[in-house]
């Protein structure tokens, strides 16, 4: 079985380089265009999804709906697929914290292995725990009945999910480039996950690769 793990299309906050987290920021027009291009490319490759899952946040859910449009595919939302929660810092610009070691988001962006979330925010470990839970409870049982499954989620979450599969150290977290609508292709064989391809895009110029 193959799992197509996609990051949502572009939003205005992506374009403005702002931290979205669990704030419900919708796709912009270009984000919808990227999702439509990706859907057409996957269709040309003969990819037919048997099931689809999405974060309930509108930018991921609309991306999934575009990729499954015109097909009778069950699409289920799951809160475990939501983006990492950044608490009061959602909406903050990315660039200032990178230059300020005293900023609470500096470690998140520059030294993820040292990141300590502020009150109300999530740690990398918490996000990885819910990613593992989703894979075990929702994806593993489909191995014998499905050939291709779509999972539409978010940049930091998708990196956490990939990290749980390949046991990636947090020091390497941002080494994985993940543009909007990047598709990572996983396999599931005899209960074991493997990464076949990371962050493939189906349009010309990657956008919003890293914060």
């Amino acid at each position: 079985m193959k799992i197509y793990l996609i990051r949502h299309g572009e939003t205005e906050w992506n374009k403005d380089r702002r931290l979205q987290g669990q704030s419900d920021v919708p796709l912009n027009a270009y984000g919808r265009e990227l999702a439509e291009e990706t859907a057409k490319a996957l269709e040309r490759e003969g990819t037919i999804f048997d099931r689809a899952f999405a974060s309930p946040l509108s930018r991921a859910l609309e991306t999934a709906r575009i990729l499954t449009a015109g097909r009778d595919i069950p699409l289920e939302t799951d809160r475990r697929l939501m983006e990492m929660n950044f608490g009061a810092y959602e909406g903050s610009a990315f660039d200032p914290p990178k230059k300020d070691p005293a900023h609470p988001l500096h470690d998140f962006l520059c030294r993820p292995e040292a990141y300590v979330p502020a009150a109300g925010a999530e740690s990398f470990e918490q996000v990885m725990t819910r990613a593992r839970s989703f894979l075990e409870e929702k994806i593993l049982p489909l191995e014998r009945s499905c050939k291709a499954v779509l999972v539409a989620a978010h940049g930091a979450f998708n990196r956490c999910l990939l990290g749980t599969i390949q046991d990636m150290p947090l020091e390497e977290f941002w080494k994985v480039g993940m543009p909007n609508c990047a598709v990572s292709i996983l396999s599931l064989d005899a209960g074991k996950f493997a990464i076949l391809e990371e962050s493939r895009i189906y349009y010309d110029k990657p956008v919003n690769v890293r914060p």
Side-chain angles (χ1 to χ4, degrees), residues 116-128:
V116 177
E122 282 184 298
S123 67
F124 288 107
E125 290 76 13
Q126 286 173 311
V127 181
M128 288 179 180

Side-chain angles (χ1 to χ4, degrees), residues 137-194:
E137 292 182 19
K138 292 294 186 177
I139 302 300
L140 276 174
L142 300 177
E143 184 179 358
R144 295 183 181 179
S145 60
C146 295
K147 290 185 178 179
V149 175
L150 173 69
V151 178
H154 307 268
F157 176 87
N158 287 6
R159 288 179 175 91
C160 284
L161 188 147
L162 294 174
T164 66
I165 292 172
Q166 61 187 358
D167 198 23
M168 177 185 70
L170 280 176
E171 289 88 341
E172 298 178 10
F173 190 80
W174 295 115
K175 289 184 180 179
V176 179
M178 195 165 290
N180 288 119
C181 278
V183 179
S184 295
I185 304 173
L186 320 178
S187 67
L188 175 59
D189 186 15
K192 293 189 181 296
F193 292 98

Side-chain angles (χ1 to χ4, degrees), residues 6 8 21-24 52-65 75-84 130 134 150-154 157-158:
I6 187 170
H8 59 79
Q22 296 187 358
S23 299
D24 199 3
F53 297 88
S55 157
L57 295 172
S58 61
R59 59 191 184 271
L61 182 54
E62 186 176 4
T63 299
R65 285 176 173 152
L75 172 56
E76 180 180 339
T77 59
D78 194 304
R79 291 184 62 81
R80 288 172 292 190
L81 298 176
M82 290 174 73
E83 181 59 298
M84 194 170 185
R130 55 183 170 91
F134 170 77
L150 173 69
V151 178
H154 307 268
F157 176 87
N158 287 6

